[in-house]
Amino acid sequence: MDIRQLKDNIRSFSLEDGDLGSQGYKRVLLQLFGFTGHGKSSFINSCMYVLEEGENFIEYAEARETLEGYTMIRNAYPLTDQITIVDNRGCSKLNDFERAEVYAQLGNCIPIGQKVDWEKNYSAMMEAIENSELEPNFTDFLVPIFVYRATKMINEMEEVKTFMENCVKMTGIVPIIVIAFKTKGDYLEVEKQFRLMGAETVIAIENYTTESKIKTLGRTTDILMVIDSALRNVRFHLEQPRNPRRERIERKKFMYNYIHQIHLHQEREKHEKEKSEREKEKKKQEEERKGICTLL
């Protein structure tokens, strides 16, 4: 498929195209996730750039090519009238509640435009989920996209694999994998790792930037292919009967159960720690008594 066809497919995409129509969806939400500094914001800028004519590159999403990351707010960027791409907050290393926040973003439990704070306890996380029901969003068709830079081997394989599996549970879609910084690392090895974790679509790209904005056939095609792959997923799933309201309820159930399991895990760890400290204190006291007896 050439660039013109890819652009036409994206620009003309409509949720009403299938035999069953939109089934209540109003927008496709391309949900970007990944670790901090792996190129999510740059990918958004690249998507906007390849769909526009000319060489006028605009940095819509502020990007930094560092591992510290920059995005703190869930920002959305319309690609067409029916397709929006979302820059979700990334993580450097996830703890339990940070993982829950990632899934809360994926499930639209955190409104677009809102700052994403890493909640640190059960009550705060549950309150955030409840507050999301004040203005429930069930009309977005969610497509997860995971961005990972080719310059890093995957050290968090179990963590990433679990994320991919939970994406399927929440959206029904296996995340599309975007390997960024294609020319700066061994992207073939990274792709192999993702394939072994169950990835179905893996596309390596080189983002456009203010310093590197001359459009080329290969770079433009790769970026357009990511969007096109997401839309093919949407078309496939809209061939089956769906219920957006029911799906949101199921995502909410997933979040409640996930947060509850985190809470139970932390309570067990707390109990084990307290038990260990009591045993250490008891042993210390016994040794002190033995020492006194020896002196006597």
Side-chain angles (χ1 to χ4, degrees), residues 106-164:
L106 173 62
N108 263 348
C109 295
I110 298 175
I112 288 173
Q114 180 173 307
K115 183 180 179 182
V116 180
D117 293 314
W118 300 133
E119 303 293 358
K120 295 179 175 58
N121 60 71
Y122 174 79
S123 298
M125 193 71 228
M126 292 297 285
E127 182 180 356
I129 300 301
E130 284 298 324
N131 288 340
S132 72
E133 294 308 302
L134 295 173
E135 296 182 13
N137 181 343
F138 52 84
T139 59
D140 286 337
F141 195 109
L142 308 176
V143 181
I145 298 175
F146 190 78
V147 180
Y148 199 91
R149 59 191 296 154
T151 54
K152 285 198 68 178
M153 291 295 103
I154 306 174
N155 298 319
E156 315 85 352
M157 287 192 69
E158 284 304 313
E159 190 174 287
V160 174
K161 184 178 179 181
T162 299
F163 170 76
M164 292 171 62

Side-chain angles (χ1 to χ4, degrees), residues 152-198:
K152 285 198 68 178
M153 291 295 103
I154 306 174
N155 298 319
E156 315 85 352
M157 287 192 69
E158 284 304 313
E159 190 174 287
V160 174
K161 184 178 179 181
T162 299
F163 170 76
M164 292 171 62
E165 291 170 349
N166 285 335
C167 280
V168 177
K169 292 176 183 177
M170 292 187 74
T171 69
I173 296 176
V174 179
I176 295 168
I177 306 300
V178 174
I179 302 176
F181 301 94
K182 176 181 178 179
T183 61
K184 297 179 181 178
D186 188 353
Y187 76 86
L188 292 174
E189 181 58 33
V190 176
E191 177 178 351
K192 178 182 176 182
Q193 289 183 280
F194 275 110
R195 295 284 186 190
L196 290 172
M197 286 189 280

Side-chain angles (χ1 to χ4, degrees), residues 188-277:
L188 292 174
E189 181 58 33
V190 176
E191 177 178 351
K192 178 182 176 182
Q193 289 183 280
F194 275 110
R195 295 284 186 190
L196 290 172
M197 286 189 280
E200 296 180 348
T201 303
V202 182
I203 301 173
I205 68 163
E206 192 68 38
N207 282 314
Y208 287 108
T209 65
T210 52
E211 294 78 24
S212 179
K213 62 182 180 181
I214 298 175
K215 289 182 178 177
T216 67
L217 176 62
R219 289 172 83 175
T220 299
T221 301
D222 290 340
I223 293 162
L224 290 172
M225 283 295 296
V226 177
I227 305 171
D228 184 70
S229 296
L231 299 182
R232 281 190 280 114
N233 263 286
V234 175
R235 292 189 189 97
F236 171 79
H237 286 282
L238 283 180
E239 289 175 0
Q240 307 299 324
R242 296 176 70 100
N243 186 326
R245 290 178 183 271
R246 170 56 58 184
E247 289 171 11
R248 180 173 174 84
I249 291 171
E250 293 302 318
R251 288 196 294 270
K252 188 177 175 182
K253 287 181 181 178
F254 173 90
M255 287 300 307
Y256 281 147
N257 180 64
Y258 191 84
I259 297 167
H260 180 62
Q261 292 303 317
I262 290 173
H263 181 61
L264 291 178
H265 175 69
Q266 290 191 340
E267 287 297 306
R268 284 194 296 268
E269 284 190 334
K270 180 181 177 182
H271 175 73
E272 291 298 323
K273 183 178 180 181
E274 291 173 348
K275 181 181 177 181
S276 176
E277 289 174 350

Side-chain angles (χ1 to χ4, degrees), residues 10 13-16 22 25-31 76-86 108 112 137 139-145 173 176 226-235 238:
I10 294 167
F13 173 84
S14 173
L15 286 161
E16 298 287 351
S22 70
Y25 297 103
K26 295 181 180 178
R27 173 174 65 172
V28 173
L29 214 61
L30 307 182
Q31 291 266 54
Y77 304 87
L79 298 179
T80 71
D81 289 342
Q82 293 203 356
I83 308 167
T84 294
I85 191 165
V86 180
N108 263 348
I112 288 173
N137 181 343
T139 59
D140 286 337
F141 195 109
L142 308 176
V143 181
I145 298 175
I173 296 176
I176 295 168
V226 177
I227 305 171
D228 184 70
S229 296
L231 299 182
R232 281 190 280 114
N233 263 286
V234 175
R235 292 189 189 97
L238 283 180

Side-chain angles (χ1 to χ4, degrees), residues 61-76:
E62 190 166 354
R64 292 182 180 179
E65 290 190 12
T66 71
L67 295 179
E68 297 175 358
Y70 189 74
T71 301
M72 300 291 286
I73 297 173
R74 256 191 110 217
N75 287 319

